Amino acid sequence: MTSTLASLACGRHRLDLSFPRVMGILNVTPDSFSDGGRHVALDDALRHAERMLAEGAAIIDVGGESTRPGADEVSSQQELDRVAPVVEALVRELDALVSVDTSCPEVMRESAALGAGMINDVRALEREGALAAAIGTGLPVCLMHRQGEPRDMQQAPRYDVPIEEAVVDYLAERVATCEAAGLRRERLLVDSGFGFGKTVEHNLRLLNRLERLAVLELPLLVGMSRKSMIGKVLERPVEERLPGGLALTALAVERGARILRVHDVAPSVDAVNMTWAVLKEGC
């Protein structure tokens, strides 16, 4: 699967998407599911981002609200207090291409003003004011599929159509809504939302049929790093899920993913590059 976009304008950066890129996860929350509290201090966050960039991350994705299953929402001010200093430091000290993982209009606007280059919204700009805020930033936006909110999304999720059809239908509707409001298509990416209102069976089927999202003709971001689908299939705790995650990364690249959102950058970059070398053999 290929997107119609070879590159993406991200503020003062331009992201080459002619081959798959790795996005490093930087959670500045006390309660994220696998790394909560590790990078709350500004210097810790900065050093971790520096390591991920050195290991080959093209993007650093900063999140100030945990979206793990069962998580509660945080106030916009609380999220902003967590995110803004980190975004500012990453841009100023590392000249990093920063994505901000947020649904909050205030965080979108402030992050853009501080030099962020992308918005990554698990709620696909559905929160009140988010679409207008995103348009105003001039930045690209990733729209993710989900069912429900983090606090309840894993309580017996079900769909009336096959999961891949539900994902495509929802994302197509959100893309149309964004375009109608003035958010140009060349600024959009999509994320199938593994683990967000989906059973293990949904996740496995969705990855196996991920190329169906090609009909959207937009760059595809995929995030499966350390998620419970790996733990449940392999019976592994969160700290032992890297091998399973690398297998999923390779499969996602083969099925068209252009951005891989991961915790473990160095091995993921190797998995992406090795998979891509095989796929491009003879081209």
Side-chain angles (χ1 to χ4, degrees), residues 235-253:
E235 298 183 351
R236 295 286 186 269
V238 67
E239 66 273 12
E240 295 178 12
R241 293 176 187 173
L242 177 58
L246 295 177
L248 298 181
T249 291
L251 288 167
V253 170

Side-chain angles (χ1 to χ4, degrees), residues 103-106 108-109 125-136:
S103 302
C104 176
E106 293 84 359
M108 293 176 190
R109 285 191 288 264
L125 301 180
E126 286 194 279
R127 184 172 283 178
E128 185 177 357
L131 179 51
I135 292 170

Side-chain angles (χ1 to χ4, degrees), residues 76 79-80 83-84 87 100 102-119 125 127-139:
S76 58
E79 185 182 350
L80 191 58
V83 168
V87 172
V100 179
T102 186
S103 302
C104 176
E106 293 84 359
V107 176
M108 293 176 190
R109 285 191 288 264
E110 183 64 19
S111 297
L114 292 171
M118 185 184 299
I119 295 165
L125 301 180
R127 184 172 283 178
E128 185 177 357
L131 179 51
I135 292 170
T137 67
L139 298 179

Side-chain angles (χ1 to χ4, degrees), residues 120-279:
N120 181 19
D121 185 5
V122 300
R123 296 177 179 86
L125 301 180
E126 286 194 279
R127 184 172 283 178
E128 185 177 357
L131 179 51
I135 292 170
T137 67
L139 298 179
V141 182
C142 184
L143 308 172
M144 196 194 77
H145 174 273
R146 79 193 192 293
Q147 185 183 83
E149 290 293 331
R151 62 180 177 273
D152 60 12
M153 64 187 180
Q154 289 305 106
Q155 296 175 9
R158 63 178 299 277
Y159 295 87
D160 295 329
V161 298
I163 185 62
E164 67 277 11
E165 293 181 23
V167 170
V168 168
D169 290 348
Y170 172 83
L171 291 174
E173 184 276 327
R174 292 307 301 156
V175 168
T177 297
C178 290
E179 286 191 285
L183 184 53
R184 298 193 308 277
R185 192 177 188 86
E186 58 265 29
R187 285 174 50 195
L188 293 174
L189 308 89
V190 292
D191 179 347
S192 50
F194 287 99
F196 281 78
K198 299 172 183 70
T199 63
V200 172
E201 291 73 20
H202 288 142
N203 289 321
L204 296 177
R205 179 183 173 105
L206 182 57
L207 178 57
N208 200 31
R209 293 160 175 79
L210 197 64
E211 67 276 4
R212 302 285 181 87
L213 273 69
V215 298
L216 298 170
E217 297 185 322
L218 290 170
L220 175 61
L221 185 154
V222 168
M224 295 179 283
S225 178
R226 301 182 184 175
K227 287 194 172 178
S228 63
M229 64 185 288
I230 304 170
K232 289 176 181 176
V233 170
L234 301 180
E235 298 183 351
R236 295 286 186 269
V238 67
E239 66 273 12
E240 295 178 12
R241 293 176 187 173
L242 177 58
L246 295 177
L248 298 181
T249 291
L251 288 167
V253 170
E254 191 272 335
R255 287 158 172 77
R258 274 296 187 269
I259 299 176
L260 291 303
R261 185 178 182 275
V262 304
H263 296 87
D264 305 285
V265 170
S268 299
V269 168
D270 280 353
V272 167
N273 290 344
M274 194 70 245
T275 305
W276 191 245
V278 173
L279 293 175

Side-chain angles (χ1 to χ4, degrees), residues 10-88:
C10 301
R12 68 173 181 267
H13 294 269
R14 181 163 285 276
L15 181 64
D16 184 358
L17 290 177
S18 62
F19 62 99
R21 311 304 299 268
V22 168
M23 169 186 277
I25 298 169
L26 182 59
N27 287 320
V28 290
T29 59
D31 56 347
S32 292
F33 78 96
S34 77
D35 56 357
R38 293 188 184 180
H39 313 301
V40 173
L42 180 58
D43 189 63
D44 290 341
L46 196 60
R47 298 288 78 81
H48 184 55
E50 192 172 33
R51 285 192 296 272
M52 291 193 290
L53 291 168
E55 291 172 352
I59 315 161
I60 303 297
D61 192 45
V62 178
E65 177 196 11
S66 175
T67 52
R68 63 177 173 77
D72 293 323
E73 294 182 10
V74 299
S75 71
S76 58
Q77 188 59 53
Q78 189 175 16
E79 185 182 350
L80 191 58
D81 290 345
R82 293 172 178 175
V83 168
V86 177
V87 172
E88 184 177 25

